[in-house]
């Protein structure tokens, strides 16, 4: 309701405040629970906190941006009202096969040969490529060729990110904590996904027109959501620089 109520409206701020209060209450409950969903003691270890946060942010972008791109493809092209591409769902599915295959193939290739390289460097390289890719998508998305080329660049990085993120978690937790770490990573992806999606719609809403109660989005909004994805990826990349050397699953974790 941010667009219709206004982002500074008391109702909007009230719901945002209620969400923050619920999150704080959740953390207090988890802190006192014998079997917490989110083990705060584990998150106090800097390597774990960095790997989970960076992994969650990176995978959020990889999973969220393609879904938001569907809006660009399916919304109509109406001069001065809507800057979508006006594709049918079938046409969008056919065109998007290209970058989905790139993501799938990259992930398979990287996971097959990952043990030969430093996983942290591969991860950071994937984030860098994904950030560049979504920056390019923000500039060039006006037709099939532009969207295919730029999205394929972004999804080379996304394939790396999706395949390496679990390795980051396994490399900073003990063997007994691997299930917990994976569960926490998935929970953070859901949390970050909700935040990024809400932010993306706020960006779209800032560059929109409303006709008979229906919002149509302008090109500046579409560019903005892709640049938002690139910015979140850069944040994940900066955090990843501080992740210490990952251990092999067979090694004992440093400091227990």
């Amino acid at each position: 309701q941010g667009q219709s109520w206004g982002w500074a409206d008391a109702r909007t701020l009230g719901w945002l405040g209620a969400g923050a209060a619920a999150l704080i209450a959740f953390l207090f409950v988890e802190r006192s629970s014998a079997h917490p969903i989110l083990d705060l003691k584990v998150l106090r270890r800097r390597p774990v906190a960095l790997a989970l946060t960076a992994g969650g942010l990176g995978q959020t972008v990889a999973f969220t941006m393609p879904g938001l791109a569907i809006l660009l493809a399916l919304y109509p092209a109406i001069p001065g009202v809507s800057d979508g591409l006006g594709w049918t769902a079938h046409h969008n599915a056919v065109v998007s096969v290209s970058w989905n295959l790139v993501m799938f193939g990259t992930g398979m290739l990287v996971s097959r040969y990952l043990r030969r390289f430093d996983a942290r460097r591969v991860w950071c390289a994937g984030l860098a490529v994904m950030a560049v890719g979504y920056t390019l998508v923000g500039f060039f998305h006006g037709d099939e060729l532009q969207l295919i080329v730029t999205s394929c660049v972004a999804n080379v990085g996304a394939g790396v990110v999706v395949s390496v993120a679990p390795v980051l978690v396994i490399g900073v937790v003990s063997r007994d904590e691997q299930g917990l770490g994976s569960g926490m990573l998935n929970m953070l992806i859901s949390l970050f996904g909700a935040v990024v999606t809400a932010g993306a719609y706020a960006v779209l809403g800032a560059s929109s027109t409303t006709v008979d109660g229906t919002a149509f989005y302008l090109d500046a909004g579409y560019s903005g959501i892709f640049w938002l994805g690139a910015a979140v990826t850069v944040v994940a990349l900066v955090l990843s620089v501080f992740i210490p050397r990952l251990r092999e699953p067979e090694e004992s974790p440093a400091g227990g």
Side-chain angles (χ1 to χ4, degrees), residues 51 111 114 119-120 162-172 185 246-247:
S111 62
L114 187 58
R120 292 175 304 170
V162 171
S163 61
V164 180
V167 179
L168 290 183
V169 176
I170 290 174
V172 295
L185 176 63
L246 302 178
R247 65 176 183 83

Side-chain angles (χ1 to χ4, degrees), residues 43-87:
L43 284 177
R44 291 195 192 105
R45 304 206 304 261
R46 185 173 65 90
V48 178
L50 287 171
L52 286 173
T53 304
L57 289 172
Q59 289 206 91
T60 292
V61 174
F63 294 144
T64 303
M65 287 297 114
L68 292 170
I70 294 176
L71 296 174
L72 168 66
L74 300 186
Y75 264 61
I78 306 172
V81 176
S82 175
D83 289 331
L85 295 174
W87 296 349

Side-chain angles (χ1 to χ4, degrees), residues 17-41:
L23 178 60
I24 293 171
F26 169 75
L27 294 177
F28 274 105
V29 170
E30 294 300 283
R31 185 176 180 180
S32 60
S33 173
H35 302 286
I37 298 173
L38 184 67
D39 193 336
L40 299 182
K41 295 190 293 295

